Structures are given as structure tokens and as C-alpha cells.
Amino acid sequence: MAAVILVGTQWGDEGKGKVTDFLSERADAVVRYQGGSNAGHTVEVEEQQFKLHLVPSGILYPHTLCLIASGVVVDLEQLNLEIKSLEERGIDIGNLRLSSRATLVMPYHKKIDEIQERTGKIGTTGRGIGPAYADKINRVGFRVADLLYDPEFKERFKAEVERKNLYFEKLHDEPGYDYRELYDQLWAQIEPLRPYIGDTSHLVYELLKAGKKVLFEGAQGTLLDIDHGTYPYVTSSHPIAGGACVGAGIGPTRIDRVIGVAKAYTTRVGEGPFPAELEGPLGNVLREKGAEFGTTTGRPRRCGWLDGVILRYAARINGLTDLAITKLDVLDSFETLKICLHYRNNGRVVTEFPENLTLQKECTPEYIELPGWQQDTTGITRYEDLPVNARAYIEKIEEITGVRQVLISLGPRRDQTITGGSFF
Ligand code: IMP
């Protein structure tokens, strides 16, 4: 099998960075297909911690090609900073490729994001993601190739900056931008990236044709999908498996396997419904034990028990073939654990994730209780050696989703992982 998609099954922060890193060792190429620098993937290698936002986690392996595909919105300043910090730590970025079709995140997108957050709170990461995708869909965005090759770029850019300035100055009493300054900045930022820019869709096609192993790395999670998530409290892209085909520019028939990453409990950052949220002391315990603070913004994450309704939904929407369960060790000390099997709304049992915000807010979770294992699992490397109650917890997740686990993560390090079978 050659093409594997890895997606988040919850609201992001499922520990995809570590799983991607683990699979990258076995992959010939890793492809980021959506999102932008709103993503924060933490990877720990030999006592070193890497926090990646735009560059695929595979960059830590010298043999793995790392592609930022056309579905990603790219903040050139952030990308250069990330590359610089990787190089300072001795990581070679020669294997990086950036799609010439990728849309650019401009400084004015970040400012619009900030203004919008002041007036209607989604709890975004403030990285300009929504406004950049809005411009892309509205066909007033700028792609990498436009900047490099379009002779009319400067004129178009000037007109667009002037339009944006009207919005800032007339509607929000904020200073606008000098398009010449922005233009010069863009050129200074794109120059060092030139050697890495190309047609990543074609590259993926060639890799798959040659039987190479390609991993498509999703950012955020299923419930943050613009169409299938908890709209409007979502991100502006398609983190779901279908998004990999669109964002990377490959046909769905090329995909062999879809692995869903599920944290052993649930977290969410930003606003929006979260039926299984624990707001009292138990939520704090999960936050502290799981170090649940955002990689990109440092915000404390909202925490709750595992939500089976969401996982079943994610299994369906993504067509999951496998599960990777992360942070199981965070539950080590609990005497009992709960899993939400369904919700209740006005006396009615709800087994499918509700399709709109009002219904999502009205639902209260109903749980089953399982005994904890109260044993340190962080050094365990074989499934059979897990405490019997930990295995029962995993098997319950498999039963709820109808999907088998292929990887269990018991700590941030690469060696704190249980795997069964091959991935490609
Ligand atoms: P945006 O993607 O910055 O527009 O933020 C929209 C929503 O997605 C907010 O609730 C963010 O907290 C959430 N979000 C965006 N990126 C991530 C991520 O990588 N992990 C978790 N939540 C995210």
C-alpha cells in the first residue's frame, strides 16, 4: 500500500505530530494538504522538542520528501522562521517542496482575523487562516506562482491592498498598508524559498506511480472541518480525508488507507459546542496530566471524557480503515473512566453527531463507566503487556467505531509507542 492519509478524529490536537513523525520514518514522502500556520505539531526526538506549524513533521528524517501542497495557505514569514529554526538545530531542509499553487497568507489577513475576533468570537489562532481562504474562494487571493511569474501581479496586488485599506480605514478606523512595503517584503521572503517551489500535485502523482510510500498529513481535526465540523466554530479548510485529495491534487482512487488519530479523551481549543466537556476539577486534572495547552497559541485546552459519538462520526466521514490512539498514559491514574456512547436531547437518545449548532448545544452526554488500570503504562511496548483494563478501554473504542487500532501512543517519545503490523 502506498498512499495513507492521517487525520484527526476530534477537534485537533490529537497528537498527530508524533504519529506522523512515527510513520514518516517509513514513508518516502509526507504531504501537508490543508490549513496553515494555525497547526501546531509537537514532535520529540532524542530529548529535543520540535514545534512545527507549516513544515511537515517528516522533515526530521533525511530520506523523507516533505511537501506543502496547494491546499495549504502559506505565511511566507512564518515558513522562513520555521526553516531558520530547523536549520539552526542542524536539520537539513533540502527535501522540502512548496506548491506553486499554494495561496499566500498576507499580513492584512492576520489583521482581518484579529478585527473579526474582536467583533464575533470563534477563538481562532489569529494566523489569518479564515481571511486567506475567504480571499482564495473569492478569487482575490494570491498564489506563490502569481508572485513569481505573473507580470500583472504588482497591479493586482496594489488594487487588492487598496480595497483592504478601505475596509481597515473606513470601517474599523485602523491604519492600512503601503502595498510597496508589502510587495518588497513578499519578494524578500520568497527568494530563499525558490529552490523548493514546484508542482507538488505532479510530484505526488509520480511518487505514487513509482510505488513510493506517501503519507498525507492532516492538520486540525474532523470536527473543525468547514463543512462537516461544528460550524461556525471551525477552521476554514477540510481537515477530513476527502480534503487530502483536493488539497494535494490527487484522485480518490489512489488512496489505500485512512488512519484516524484519536486522543484517549477529548480536548478542544477556542469556542463552540463540546458536549462531553468537563468544566470542574476533573477537567483540570486532565489538562494538567495531559499538558493540554495549545502549541500555536499557548491557550489552555478545554478537556472532557472520550466522546464515542464523535469518534463514530469521524470513522464515517473519513472512511477510517485504522485508528491510532494517543495519550492513553494520561489516564493511568484514574480509578474509573467514562466514555460517552450517545447524547440525550429532550428525552430523546441521539446516536449520530447532530448536524447543527443548536442541536449540538442542546445535547447532554450519557456515559458508560469503565474501571481504570491505575498503573504506569509509559514504558510498555507490547499490546499484551498493557493492563487488562487498558486493553478493555481500547477494545471499547474499537467496538464503538468499528475500526481496529494499529498504534497506541503512551508518551511523547518515539519509543513510547505500541504498533501492530505495517502501515504501508
Ligand atoms: P483558525 O484555524 O485559526 O481560523 O481557528 C478556527 C478554530 O480552529 C479555532 O477554534 C481554533 O482554536 C481551531 N484550531 C485551528 N488550528 C487548530 C489546531 O491545530 N489544533 C486545534 N485547534 C485548532
Side-chain angles (χ1 to χ4, degrees), residues 237-250:
S237 66
H238 290 294
I240 59 168
C245 295
V246 180
I250 54 154

Side-chain angles (χ1 to χ4, degrees), residues 11-14 16 32 35-41 53 113 117 122-131 133 219-221 223-224 230 232-237 267-272 294-297 299 301-302:
W11 278 285
D13 307 319
E14 297 92 352
K16 292 183 296 297
R32 257 295 293 277
S37 54
N38 50 350
H41 290 167
H53 299 281
D113 199 351
E117 278 295 280
I122 296 291
T124 71
T125 59
R127 299 300 183 103
I129 305 300
Y133 275 115
Q220 290 86 42
L223 272 294
L224 288 174
T230 45
Y233 299 100
V234 291
T235 193
S236 299
S237 66
T267 63
R268 150 159 231 182
V269 263
E271 309 298 315
T295 311
T296 304
T297 58
R299 289 179 290 176
R301 294 177 185 144
R302 299 155 65 193

